Amino acid sequence: MGGGLAGIRAAIAAAETDPKLRVAMVSKVYPMRSHTVSAEGGCAAVLREPDSFDGHAFDTIKGSDYLADQDVVEVFVREAPLEVIQMEHWGCPWSREPDGRISVRPFGGMTTWRTCFAADKSGFHMLHTVFQTSLQFANIERLDEFFVTSLITEDGRCEGVIGFDMRSGEVRSLAARAVILATGGNGRIYAFTTNGAICTGDGMALAYRAGVPLKDMEFVQFHPTGMPSTGILITEAVRGEGGYLTNAEGERFLERYVPNKMELGPRDIISRAMVTEFEAGRGLKGEYGDYMNLDVRHLGSEVINRKLPFMRELMGEYMGIDIVTDPMPVRPVEHYMMGGIDTDASGRTPMPGLYAAGECANAGINGANRLGSNSLPECLVFGAAAGRAAVHDARGVKAPGSNPIAGLVKDETRRIEADFLGRSSGTERVGEIREDLQKMMDAQVGVFRTGDGLKTAVKELAELRDRFARLKLDDHSRTFNTELVTALELENMLDGAETIIESALARQESRGSHARRDFPDRNDEKYLAHTLAYHTRGAKPRLEYRPVRITQWQPQARSY
Amino acid sequence: MAAPSQELLRSNPLPADTIQLSVTRYDPAQDAAPRQQTYEIPYRDDMVVLDALNWIKTHMDGSVSYRWSCRMGICGSCGMNVNGTPRLGCSVFLRDYLPGPVLVEPLPNFPVIRDLVIDMTSFMEKLSSVKPWVISNGQEPALAAGEHRQTPAQVEQYRQFSMCINCMLCYAACPVIAIEPHFVGPAAIALARRYDLDSRDHAGQDRLRTVTGSDAIWDCSFIGECSAVCPKGVDPAKAIQQTKFESTLGMLLPWGGVSK
Ligand SMILES: Cc1cc2nc3c(=O)[nH]c(=O)nc-3n(C[C@H](O)[C@H](O)[C@H](O)COP(=O)(O)OP(=O)(O)OC[C@H]3O[C@@H](n4cnc5c(N)ncnc54)[C@H](O)[C@@H]3O)c2cc1C
Ligand code: SF4
Ligand code: FES
């Protein structure tokens, strides 16, 4: 389920592992529209000396503020280079050195140059490469624009999915011996985000409601450099290539926060530094609030055109700014969900038959703060692992019977009819509830959090849920009903938001991206542990904690 | 694309308070034929057509149907005809159409599913038909042996043709497709070129034959409508021209081969 980088990589792995298997690749948008397409900066992997696996592992673990599971990180850094080379063999147009080897660039929180890139459209090229490669597999059947609404479970096993074909509106089931969720992030829960419209966390919500825990949901990454009006991402590669961040006084203010790393410090710290500067009155003032300048003028047009052409295009198009002659206005923006469906290093969730990979999953490598350029390789490594594990495990499983499933399809059809399409008594507009949810999350669950703010969020979320129960759709058509899709996505966003808020409220410390003003320090004694949020009927989620697995890197103070 | 500078925007005397959009509506279950519906919405200088549609959908009429996701001109979802020209809804500004109304229609040359949503099944089949993947010569190095060497100049050979976002604007603009819907079309030919020009690919004349197999490519008279509307500078017309040239060369030279 999912046609992004993780989903397609999983489908290819499954199809290759057993060419006789039927693999369905289900996606609510045509695969090349998946949000992987917007990734700009690049994909980290240890390709050559003097870089080392330990180096990549340590940077990732320190970046995670020691909340990563170190055994999983070790697997990840070893597999990542093989996946990057696999992408190369499949035709990915990686940027190259003069001698023909794949180029690498510096990236935030990485202590050496290890981020491979395809100019500043890395995700676009990677997605199109895997998608086009997948077309040669006769045993991969695509269901494009098919919206999944629930998982089929029987005796604690996942046996398929139910959803509807958007074009016909027909609800149908897909029985399966294994289901892999690769449904991406949920950044659209926030108003100011780099995420596309489809990033609503559907897979997370489906797994959660089926009883699978969501892990570390309080950790939401805010990227320091979003375009103030739209939230379009200005890639970290801009700083990797030597760009400066300056405040209203023209000062490179990071000097005061991450003196040794400056612009190449990790995202959580730089985002907090920017907000702190804004609060001290040192931000530039704009129509969309305070901002900072990101300046690449000193790099010159040749470097800009070769390495950052898309940034020049985007800034020109949307802000009327030529980055060769003017600095770019930027402010912190919601960007990435560290939390996700609880999995192990093979993508297995606690529910037999159910796997997850990519941004919707949490295998344990990102901890409290993901390092930039670690998630594209994460999609590849764990997408492939989940595909193989699913095939391996499915061998001994018999195909699900059709009897109970037919009943479930009827129930789901009835639910969609009764709660959405056929309802005429409601008063609330789906788009307006969604906007209010997004504004609330920006205001209360942002870069800095407080206990009071989070309690307000709990209260406001309950009100939003009440309003959701009074929903009324304008669109009653069965044909390509995007309002129905938006409503079902909103249901998933409300569940996602609840796990974020409750997990954040319970974690009374500051770690990585989770910064509590009322608990400014890290507390390893109590919270060197993953939060697991379990769905409960009609009440708030039940939270449990699971200790972090440490192999060779003992937690230290995290300074840069 | 040249964008107006901030100064220019600010000195613009207009800002109208509102602007009208005339949007094509069509639901096959209810409508015998497509019709236009007009909406008046609050106007801002930095609004793109997609923002306007989203405003309508959120606040006025939730039933307007269109595709979008990235709102940054890279996912290729939001192709639509704006005042008669195929554009990406997320990259075209209302300020360029003042004082309005702005006419928003589905991309031509495709069947319509609903409102602005067109049926792209045939486009997807055309893409697959050109075998858009690396065809190896069986001497692929093992993964552990590392990457193929490919110099920046070799990347440059195919780079332009790898920039296609599958937005289908070129199909909407193509005069050949309008008459001959089976024509494999500009983007698919550019994609075939993208792999044929890649130093890692060994398709020989295989892929070329799939593209030139139908007569339609010879009907293309290089008007270049496709390249004119392409938002990503892919220049599919150039790919078509090169393809015809290679194909003629292949007929003249028995050993054929694709020049890289
Ligand atoms: C602007 C931006 C820039 C980034 N840059 C980088 C970078 O430089 N380096 C890096 O490492 N990472 C980067 N990231 C992060 C990275 O791109 C993402 O984490 C990653 O691409 C997610 O891929 P995915 O396959 O998990 O999900 P996606 O690509 O989002 O795909 C999700 C898929 O699931 C399907 N789906 C979802 N819900 C349903 C449903 N209900 N029914 C059916 N199908 C469904 C969708 O159709 C889609 O195909 C960036 C992210 C953003 C937003
Ligand atoms: S060639 Fe250009 S216009 Fe045609 S589909 Fe590709 S990006 Fe769009
Ligand atoms: S919304 Fe993605 S290209 Fe317009």
Side-chain angles (χ1 to χ4, degrees), chain A residues 1-7 26-31 34-44 107 122 127 146-149 182-185 194-196 198-200 202-203 206 233 235 267 335-336 357-360 370-377 379 492, chain B residues 72:
Chain A
M1 189 176 152
L5 188 62
V26 184
S27 174
K28 66 179 173 180
V29 293
Y30 279 90
S34 303
H35 204 57
T36 294
V37 79
S38 68
E40 299 164 358
C43 176
F107 233 70
S122 305
L127 182 65
F146 186 95
F147 186 86
V148 177
T149 57
T183 47
T194 63
N195 283 201
I198 61 171
C199 302
T200 52
D202 301 347
L206 297 188
L233 178 74
T235 172
R267 292 176 178 175
H335 182 54
Y336 180 86
E359 191 168 337
C360 74
R370 166 188 77 108
L371 288 192
S373 76
N374 258 356
S375 51
L376 292 170
C379 288
N492 296 332
Chain B
M72 55 189 278

Side-chain angles (χ1 to χ4, degrees), chain A residues 33 88-89 91-92 96 100 102 132 145 167 193 197 287-288 313 316 318 429 432 474-475 477 479 482, chain B residues 3 27 44 46 57-59 62 67 69 71 75 90 114 119 132 141 147-148 150 166 194-195 200 232:
Chain A
R33 315 299 190 209
E88 198 278 337
H89 287 201
C92 187
R96 304 280 181 154
I102 298 173
Q132 288 158 10
E145 302 194 322
R167 183 171 180 167
T193 174
E287 203 183 337
Y288 294 90
E313 178 187 327
Y318 291 96
R429 301 190 63 81
E432 292 180 346
D474 294 337
D475 194 346
S477 173
T479 310
T482 47
Chain B
D27 181 350
R44 285 181 60 104
D46 55 6
K57 194 170 179 73
T58 302
H59 300 289
R67 293 186 177 106
S69 178
R71 55 84 180 83
C75 77
C90 69
R114 167 112 191 251
D119 180 354
E147 70 258 53
H148 300 85
Q150 187 170 63
N166 298 344
R194 175 251 174 275
Y195 281 98
R200 295 165 289 191
K232 296 290 140 181

Side-chain angles (χ1 to χ4, degrees), chain A residues 144-193:
Chain A
D144 300 325
E145 302 194 322
F146 186 95
F147 186 86
V148 177
T149 57
S150 57
L151 302 180
I152 303 172
T153 58
E154 178 81 15
D155 298 331
R157 247 199 94 76
C158 184
E159 301 202 322
V161 301
I162 293 178
F164 59 91
D165 173 53
M166 290 172 60
R167 183 171 180 167
S168 67
E170 186 203 350
V171 178
R172 14 176 324 203
S173 63
L174 286 168
R177 284 183 287 168
V179 174
I180 302 171
L181 298 174
T183 47
N186 60 1
R188 278 275 152 178
I189 292 180
Y190 289 81
F192 190 57
T193 174

Side-chain angles (χ1 to χ4, degrees), chain A residues 531-551:
Chain A
T531 312
L532 296 170
Y534 289 86
H535 184 251
T536 60
R537 214 163 263 287
K540 62 180 196 180
R542 174 169 53 83
L543 301 183
E544 289 177 9
Y545 291 91
R546 181 196 294 155
V548 168
R549 288 192 302 272
I550 290 173
T551 56

Side-chain angles (χ1 to χ4, degrees), chain A residues 336-551:
Chain A
Y336 180 86
M337 186 56 181
M338 266 75 72
I341 302 161
D342 179 29
T343 75
D344 67 10
S346 308
R348 293 185 177 94
T349 72
M351 177 181 276
L354 187 67
Y355 306 76
E359 191 168 337
C360 74
N362 180 325
I365 68 162
N366 298 312
N369 174 59
R370 166 188 77 108
L371 288 192
S373 76
N374 258 356
S375 51
L376 292 170
E378 173 179 14
C379 288
L380 293 171
V381 168
F382 297 105
R388 291 184 201 116
V391 172
H392 177 269
D393 298 350
R395 286 206 170 109
V397 175
K398 70 173 178 23
S402 55
N403 245 348
I405 293 180
L408 294 174
V409 170
K410 267 205 199 107
D411 292 347
E412 192 68 343
T413 312
R414 239 181 315 211
R415 180 179 83 98
I416 290 173
E417 192 61 45
D419 290 357
F420 299 100
L421 289 178
R423 169 116 57 92
S424 53
S425 59
T427 49
E428 291 285 344
R429 301 190 63 81
V430 56
E432 292 180 346
I433 304 177
R434 188 188 50 193
E435 264 189 18
D436 291 343
L437 168 69
Q438 294 167 332
K439 282 187 208 147
M440 184 276 278
M441 290 300 285
D442 276 11
Q444 309 296 355
V445 202
V447 172
F448 285 106
R449 293 137 185 212
T450 63
D452 287 345
L454 292 168
K455 281 178 201 143
T456 308
V458 171
K459 206 172 96 258
E460 291 185 6
L461 189 77
E463 289 163 16
L464 290 164
R465 281 197 189 276
D466 282 348
R467 286 172 60 192
F468 186 77
R470 296 194 302 274
L471 198 66
K472 178 177 185 304
L473 300 191
D474 294 337
D475 194 346
H476 304 283
S477 173
R478 302 288 181 281
T479 310
F480 219 90
N481 188 330
T482 47
E483 199 188 19
L484 171 63
V485 167
T486 311
L488 290 160
E489 288 174 340
L490 178 58
E491 192 175 32
N492 296 332
M493 289 160 72
L494 289 166
D495 278 348
E498 179 161 38
T499 61
I500 296 173
I501 296 166
E502 294 292 347
S503 305
L505 190 56
R507 186 174 284 270
Q508 299 187 335
E509 66 159 353
S510 291
R511 181 186 298 271
S513 68
H514 175 66
R516 287 279 300 254
R517 286 225 142 103
D518 40 355
F519 298 96
D521 297 322
R522 194 173 86 188
N523 180 346
D524 283 343
E525 234 160 78
K526 235 179 129 184
Y527 292 110
L528 193 59
H530 301 290
T531 312
L532 296 170
Y534 289 86
H535 184 251
T536 60
R537 214 163 263 287
K540 62 180 196 180
R542 174 169 53 83
L543 301 183
E544 289 177 9
Y545 291 91
R546 181 196 294 155
V548 168
R549 288 192 302 272
I550 290 173
T551 56

